[in-house]
Amino acid sequence: MFSTVSRYAFPKLRLFLPYYTLSSVLPSLPYSLNRYFSVHSHSSNPNNIHDAVASFNRLLHLRPLPSVVQFNKILGSIVKMKHYPTAISLSSRAESKGITPSLVFMNILINCYSHVGRMYFAFSVLGKIFKMGHQPDTITLNTLMKGLCHNKMVGEALSFRDEVIAKGFLLDAVSYGTLMNGLCKAGKTRAAIILLPKPKIERLGIKPDIFIYNIIIDGLCKDGLITEARDLFSEMIKRGVRPDIVTYNSLIHGFCSMSQWKDAYELLNEMIRKNIKPDVCTYSILIDAFGKEGRITEAQAIFAVMVKWNEKPNVITFTALMDGYCLTNNVNESKEVFNRMVKSGLSPNVISYSILIDGLCKSKMVDEAMDVFKEMRHKKMVPDIVTYTCLIDGLCKSGRTSYVQDLIYEMHDSIQLPNVITYNVLLDALCKRQHLDEATKLFKQIVDRGIQPNVYTYTILIDGMCKGGRLNKAKEIFQHLLLKGYPLNVHSYTSMISGLCKEGLLDEAMALLYKMEENGCLPNLITLETILRGLIEKNENDKAKKFLLEMADRGLLKK
DNA sequence: TTAGGGTTAG
């Protein structure tokens, strides 16, 4: 089963130089990049991009050649349409026809290279700026920092900031917003906050603005540090920075995801009182939050309210509602929402399709899920790692493993390499079929490929070993994780407890129950039911009764 | 600068 997983070696491409310094950048650019970047457009609005390219080419044939400013204007519009490879290719044509690049021209180019992940080339352009006798401006530096952040090189972005400051270049609030955003998105909110209040930043003449506060507040909310986010919210008001719709949306989202509904409502009322109208993002947040709580009626009601108030739902709103229906096992209604979205003139994206595929799989409608997957292909929509993982899980759980291998091949071909969740799905399939040697082999592969197993991976493995009669192996893995202080969750403990009960080792199971509480993990109804069943199966009826009373006394029997 | 998707225990 799944022998194909190991067929491909994982490529270790070095896409970028690992570190950049101002003095080490290359002076010139490779000009013939057409072989790297296709100029063909995938725009949903091909006329515009074609018009832009045509105008650019017309300019190139005029004599005398128009000023570089004219070319910059068109390049700028192409960048707005996100056709970065096209802009790169056109800029090199312009240079070969004799246009002397200006600083703006090169800034645009740096932005394009950053967007296509070619930071090496972006820094080459910086070298060229110096070579041509220009000085980079704040926009050049900010674009490079943004590129580094977007390409997962936040550490390099920070070093770059230190280096440019040391060399006397000026940074502004946008530079700091960019860096903080990069840090927050990389899960380093703390590091971002360190940049905030220091006199360092104010000495540079930079006052934290609404962007900076919003970035940090959002980062704190996403880390679940909602109290700190609210404190910063008060602080910004004290400092005379007025919160806007983005601030409120981040906070409302933060409160909703912590199920603090009352606080979310209070904020919603507060923003309305301050004449800040909820936007499509606010409504989507609420629809999503209600949907995730299984409160689909409320989600529906919010959807109706936004339509009544003339706020147009977008793909995200519809998709959040679809997800809500799927989570309440109503995939047919989810399909309806999908169709309504199409009818309203919106194009479902890869996330909408993945939710539908997952919903169908979870309702055991795997054939229909496959049809939707084919429809995606037909519409030239590229499935991503989540789409594949949902479908693979559905196929595995319905025993259709022959298709799974094809999908894994396809993932490799489309460079959507399986991640830890995909592997968890495969590992679970092997464990559930009690192919434990293969599961062990797959686990080794995961580690060998440098993929970090997560708590799901370990739980699947422990559960598989317990159910497949390899209790000692399960205990060995479990003990190892406990000793390491690995943060196991209620699922992991319950699997191990279940394994112990199955072998009649009730004392050990009870000991583990107390151990988990000691480790700050509360048992839930499933854990307790598992132990109770173990006691009853061993005819320990008195103990079972005593256990039940004790748990009831402690209030653990509430859902 | 804000909103949407996938994996585990009964």
Side-chain angles (χ1 to χ4, degrees):
Chain A
M1 203 180 176
F2 312 136
S3 55
T4 55
V5 175
S6 59
R7 243 193 55 167
Y8 290 85
F10 278 62
K12 283 189 184 123
L13 295 175
R14 269 228 110 101
L15 291 171
F16 322 107
L17 285 181
Y19 182 67
Y20 306 94
T21 63
L22 285 179
S23 47
S24 70
V25 295
L26 291 180
S28 63
L29 252 179
Y31 288 108
S32 55
L33 285 164
N34 288 350
R35 67 195 174 99
Y36 290 109
F37 302 116
S38 152
V39 289
H40 297 299
S41 122
H42 298 286
S43 168
S44 53
N45 196 351
N47 288 332
N48 286 341
I49 178 70
H50 288 148
D51 286 354
V53 173
S55 317
F56 196 93
N57 285 329
R58 261 198 308 278
L59 286 188
L60 277 178
H61 286 101
L62 293 178
R63 288 296 175 277
L65 270 174
S67 111
V68 65
V69 177
Q70 303 304 318
F71 291 97
N72 291 345
K73 280 184 185 157
I74 302 181
L75 283 179
S77 72
I78 292 172
V79 166
K80 275 212 181 79
M81 290 183 247
K82 300 191 168 130
H83 288 267
Y84 308 110
T86 310
I88 291 169
S89 145
L90 288 177
S91 70
S92 87
R93 279 200 61 201
E95 285 191 65
S96 65
K97 295 262 179 182
I99 287 290
T100 309
S102 65
L103 183 61
V104 173
F105 184 97
M106 291 187 278
N107 284 349
I108 293 173
L109 204 48
I110 288 176
N111 187 29
C112 292
Y113 281 125
S114 302
H115 273 100
V116 297
R118 301 266 170 168
M119 288 315 292
Y120 180 86
F121 290 143
F123 275 86
S124 302
V125 180
L126 178 62
K128 187 166 163 172
I129 289 174
F130 285 116
K131 204 181 161 205
M132 293 180 73
H134 295 292
Q135 286 288 309
D137 60 8
T138 313
I139 297 177
T140 320
L141 304 175
N142 289 351
T143 309
L144 283 165
M145 280 199 284
K146 192 171 163 188
L148 287 172
C149 291
H150 279 180
N151 287 290
K152 298 185 178 168
M153 292 186 270
V154 195
E156 284 86 346
L158 280 172
S159 318
F160 184 64
R161 175 206 60 160
D162 294 341
E163 203 175 324
V164 296
I165 289 179
K167 295 210 157 126
F169 290 99
L170 289 177
L171 295 177
D172 61 8
V174 178
S175 328
Y176 278 83
T178 304
L179 274 175
M180 288 173 176
N181 191 35
L183 286 165
C184 288
K185 296 288 178 297
K188 295 174 177 163
T189 313
R190 290 273 167 234
I193 294 173
I194 291 170
L195 294 176
L196 185 64
K198 288 271 171 73
K200 255 201 297 202
I201 174 167
E202 307 210 338
R203 208 173 51 220
L204 295 163
I206 298 161
K207 222 182 140 213
D209 59 6
I210 180 75
F211 276 72
I212 287 179
Y213 279 112
N214 284 349
I215 286 161
I216 305 283
I217 285 174
D218 188 62
L220 288 168
C221 288
K222 295 232 164 58
D223 288 352
L225 302 165
I226 191 79
T227 314
E228 283 185 54
R230 211 210 303 246
D231 290 346
L232 192 57
F233 176 74
S234 310
E235 190 190 313
M236 72 186 273
I237 297 172
K238 251 188 245 154
R239 290 202 189 181
V241 181
R242 276 195 16 214
D244 64 3
I245 180 77
V246 177
T247 330
Y248 280 103
N249 284 345
S250 289
L251 282 166
I252 290 172
H253 187 221
F255 280 124
C256 285
S257 47
M258 305 291 285
S259 297
Q260 298 189 27
W261 298 92
K262 203 172 144 255
D263 297 289
Y265 268 123
E266 270 168 20
L267 271 181
L268 188 64
N269 284 327
E270 183 185 312
M271 67 184 268
I272 294 170
R273 266 201 316 278
K274 288 185 177 171
N275 275 330
I276 300 173
K277 226 179 105 201
D279 64 359
V280 59
C281 187
T282 325
Y283 289 113
S284 302
I285 288 167
L286 294 171
I287 290 169
D288 174 61
F290 278 126
K292 288 218 168 46
E293 287 260 317
R295 292 161 67 175
I296 194 67
T297 319
E298 278 116 318
Q300 238 174 346
I302 299 282
F303 194 90
V305 167
M306 77 179 286
V307 174
K308 199 176 147 200
W309 285 23
N310 286 324
E311 192 65 55
K312 255 185 104 139
N314 62 16
V315 175
I316 297 181
T317 328
F318 276 108
T319 304
L321 190 60
M322 280 177 65
D323 192 36
Y325 279 115
C326 284
L327 293 170
T328 42
N329 298 319
N330 196 346
V331 71
N332 286 327
E333 200 56 48
S334 182
K335 240 164 50 186
E336 280 296 308
V337 176
F338 184 92
N339 293 333
R340 253 162 69 203
M341 158 160 57
V342 176
K343 248 192 197 157
S344 74
L346 293 166
S347 306
N349 62 17
V350 64
I351 301 182
S352 329
Y353 274 102
S354 298
I355 287 175
L356 189 56
I357 288 173
D358 190 48
L360 289 166
C361 286
K362 296 231 161 47
S363 299
K364 309 223 179 307
M365 297 156 79
V366 187
D367 287 324
E368 259 197 75
M370 287 287 275
D371 288 342
V372 175
F373 187 70
K374 283 176 197 150
E375 183 190 314
M376 273 181 91
R377 283 231 191 87
H378 189 67
K379 294 199 166 158
K380 304 257 181 284
M381 176 117 9
V382 183
D384 65 11
I385 197 158
V386 179
T387 327
Y388 281 111
T389 304
C390 292
L391 196 56
I392 289 173
D393 191 38
L395 289 166
C396 284
K397 291 206 164 74
S398 64
R400 317 255 295 264
T401 45
S402 56
Y403 286 111
V404 173
Q405 294 208 340
D406 292 342
L407 287 177
I408 293 169
Y409 280 131
E410 209 181 296
M411 285 180 87
H412 282 277
D413 286 344
S414 60
I415 330 182
Q416 303 269 6
L417 299 181
N419 65 9
V420 64
I421 305 184
T422 324
Y423 280 113
N424 287 346
V425 163
L426 296 173
L427 194 67
D428 188 54
L430 291 171
C431 285
K432 291 281 190 305
R433 281 160 193 272
Q434 306 211 340
H435 295 167
L436 297 183
D437 291 329
E438 280 190 68
T440 309
K441 224 162 89 186
L442 182 61
F443 178 78
K444 284 202 179 95
Q445 272 180 32
I446 297 172
V447 178
D448 286 348
R449 285 176 183 171
I451 294 172
Q452 184 82 41
N454 63 17
V455 67
Y456 287 83
T457 324
Y458 291 121
T459 306
I460 290 165
L461 206 55
I462 289 163
D463 193 64
M465 294 297 161
C466 286
K467 294 207 167 62
R470 299 191 191 177
L471 183 70
N472 283 335
K473 186 72 200 166
K475 275 164 90 172
E476 190 188 301
I477 300 167
F478 197 88
Q479 277 304 330
H480 175 72
L481 294 168
L482 270 184
L483 281 174
K484 260 197 349 191
Y486 191 89
L488 294 163
N489 64 20
V490 62
H491 289 262
S492 334
Y493 281 102
T494 306
S495 285
M496 194 64 241
I497 285 173
S498 167
L500 292 167
C501 288
K502 193 170 154 263
E503 297 297 320
L505 302 165
L506 265 299
D507 290 340
E508 271 189 67
M510 293 288 261
L512 191 54
L513 178 74
Y514 294 115
K515 176 91 187 159
M516 76 185 275
E517 288 196 58
E518 237 176 76
N519 289 348
C521 180
L522 275 185
N524 63 16
L525 281 182
I526 299 173
T527 326
L528 302 178
E529 193 196 321
T530 305
I531 292 201
L532 201 59
R533 192 172 321 118
L535 287 168
I536 291 167
E537 273 169 14
K538 253 193 128 184
N539 291 322
E540 302 264 24
N541 291 340
D542 288 343
K543 270 193 189 167
K545 208 165 148 189
K546 200 177 144 220
F547 177 74
L548 198 59
L549 286 173
E550 187 193 327
M551 293 301 132
D553 271 355
R554 294 181 50 206
L556 288 171
L557 296 185
K558 287 180 200 139
K559 213 177 174 183

